[in-house]
Amino acid sequence: MFANLSSEALKARFAQAKVLVVGDVMLDRYWFGDVARISPEAPVPVAKISQIDQRAGGAANVARNIASLGGKAGLLSVTGKDEAADALDKLMAQDGVAAYLMRDAEIATTVKLRVVARNQQLIRLDFEELPHYEVLEQVKAQYRAILPDYDVVIFSDYGKGGLTHIADMIDWAKHAGKAVLVDPKGSDYEKYAGATLITPNRAELKEVIGSWKSETELADKAQSLRRHLDLHAILLTRSEEGMTLFGDGEPLHQPTRAQEVYDVSGAGDTVIACMGLGLAVGFAPSEAMHLANTAAGVVVAKVGTAVCSFEELGKALAEQ
C-alpha cells in the first residue's frame, strides 16, 4: 500500500502532523522482583524488589506513540498536584510531548502500581479519584485556547472523569474543521456523536450493540450505530482477528500480523495514535488502518505500555 512512498517521505509527512490528545492520564509503575518464600504473617508471597520502572499511561501513552512516530503531540489532561504528576510531566518532556496538565490539588494523580515477579503480576494497586468541577472548567478553557494549533484531536477515554465535557469538545473541534477520533469507554456512546472515528475493541462494542453470530450481523449492527451517531467510521480492533473498518462502503478487514504476542496492554493507544497521525497527514482511513495494524503488531511483542518508533514501523512495513 505504501510501495510508492519512501520511508523518508513518510517520516517527513509525519513530522508535519500536529495531534492533540485529550483524556485520562495515568502513571504506570512497575516494581520488579523475585519471590523465594511465603510471608510468616499471612499466606502470601514475599516479593523482594530489585528494580523500579515507571511509564506514562492512558492518554499520555497515546501522545507518546505520536511523538515516537515523529509527529508533534500535545496532551491535555487532569492530574493531582503531587509527585506522580511531576513524574508524568517529566516523562512527557523527555518524549517531546507538549503537556498541558491541569492540576487538581484535592485529588491524587491516577497511578497503577504493578508488582511483577518472574514475568507474572502478583498484584496491581490502583490509586484514582474523580477531578473536580473547577479544574474541568479549566480544561475546557485550555482546550479552546490550543485547539487552533492542532490538525486532529484524539479523545482517550478511560472513564476517570477527565472527559466530562467531551460532547462540547467534539462540537468545538468539528466547527473548527478538525478530525476527531475517540477511544471509547462504557456503554454510553451518545456523547461521542459527531466524531470522525471511534476505535472500540470487541468487548467495548459488544457492550453497546450486543453480541453477533456472524460477520453480516456484526456489520449491520456496527453500521446502524455509525449512522445513529453520525460517525464517518468505526474501527473495530479484534485482537488476534486483526481489525475491521466500517465506513460508507463495504467493511474493510485486515488480519493481525502473525508473531508472538507478549502483552496487548497499550495496543489500543498505538492504534488510535497511528489513525490520528494518518488522518492528520491526509491518508484515507483505510491507509491509516494499515499503518495502525502494523504498529500494533510491533507493540504487542513488547512488555507493558509500550510505543512503536518510526524506525520499527518502517522496518515492519518493509517486511510486508
Side-chain angles (χ1 to χ4, degrees):
M1 182 176 291
F2 294 94
N4 297 324
L5 191 64
S6 68
S7 179
E8 291 76 16
L10 181 61
K11 189 171 188 177
R13 288 179 74 167
F14 277 0
Q16 300 302 312
K18 294 174 286 187
V19 183
L20 175 62
V21 183
V22 188
D24 301 307
V25 295
M26 56 200 69
L27 187 63
D28 287 315
R29 284 191 157 140
Y30 298 84
W31 290 3
F32 297 98
D34 195 18
V35 172
R37 64 191 180 98
I38 300 299
S39 171
E41 304 166 354
V44 295
V46 175
K48 185 178 180 182
I49 304 302
S50 57
Q51 180 186 349
I52 294 176
D53 189 18
Q54 58 184 13
R55 305 170 192 173
N61 194 46
V62 179
R64 288 177 66 220
N65 271 278
I66 293 164
S68 181
L69 288 165
K72 295 179 177 66
L75 174 68
L76 174 59
S77 187
V78 176
T79 66
K81 196 173 184 179
D82 51 21
E83 176 269 337
D86 293 339
L88 275 170
D89 223 355
K90 188 177 295 184
L91 287 169
M92 290 296 92
Q94 290 172 1
D95 288 327
V97 175
Y100 308 89
L101 301 181
M102 304 290 103
R103 302 203 178 196
D104 186 338
E106 297 182 36
I107 68 168
T109 300
T110 298
V111 174
K112 293 182 179 180
L113 171 59
R114 299 166 177 88
V115 180
V116 182
R118 300 178 186 176
N119 291 323
Q120 294 287 325
Q121 273 194 44
L122 296 182
I123 191 171
R124 192 182 92 181
L125 307 175
D126 287 7
F127 306 84
E128 60 185 57
E129 298 176 71
L130 292 174
H132 292 89
Y133 171 82
E134 293 79 9
V135 173
L136 292 174
E137 288 297 307
Q138 293 176 28
V139 169
K140 285 201 299 184
Q142 185 69 42
Y143 174 78
R144 300 193 78 166
I146 62 179
L147 184 60
D149 300 333
Y150 293 89
D151 308 313
V152 168
V153 180
I154 292 175
F155 292 102
S156 183
D157 192 350
Y158 276 80
K160 309 301 182 188
L163 290 176
T164 300
H165 302 295
I166 187 171
D168 289 337
M169 291 177 164
I170 290 174
D171 284 344
W172 294 332
K174 283 180 64 182
H175 288 141
K178 316 289 183 182
V180 177
L181 291 77
V182 182
D183 189 355
K185 191 76 171 179
S187 59
D188 175 20
Y189 278 22
E190 298 293 331
K191 59 191 174 187
Y192 307 136
T196 307
L197 175 84
I198 62 172
T199 62
N201 60 32
R202 286 179 299 193
E204 290 165 343
L205 188 63
K206 193 173 292 185
E207 192 175 349
V208 178
I209 66 173
S211 59
W212 53 86
K213 296 179 180 176
S214 67
E215 289 298 308
T216 301
E217 184 181 8
L218 166 60
D220 289 344
K221 287 186 171 184
Q223 293 289 23
S224 178
L225 177 67
R226 184 181 69 85
R227 288 189 293 267
H228 173 67
L229 296 178
D230 189 27
L231 307 171
H232 182 75
I234 295 174
L235 179 64
L236 173 62
T237 57
R238 310 176 68 169
S239 192
E240 74 280 356
E241 295 177 4
M243 53 184 66
T244 306
L245 184 70
F246 300 96
D248 286 333
E250 290 295 310
L252 298 174
H253 183 75
Q254 286 211 342
T256 189
R257 292 181 67 239
Q259 61 182 4
E260 187 167 2
V261 174
Y262 287 94
D263 193 341
V264 298
S265 63
D269 298 335
T270 301
V271 167
I272 199 166
C274 275
M275 292 301 295
L277 264 179
L279 295 183
V281 299
F283 288 134
S286 58
E287 295 173 317
M289 175 175 70
H290 181 69
L291 289 173
N293 193 41
T294 304
V298 171
V299 299
V300 296
K302 302 179 181 183
V303 177
T305 48
V307 298
C308 177
S309 70
F310 182 83
E311 289 70 27
E312 289 170 326
L313 176 63
K315 182 181 177 183
L317 287 170
E319 292 171 350
Q320 294 176 2

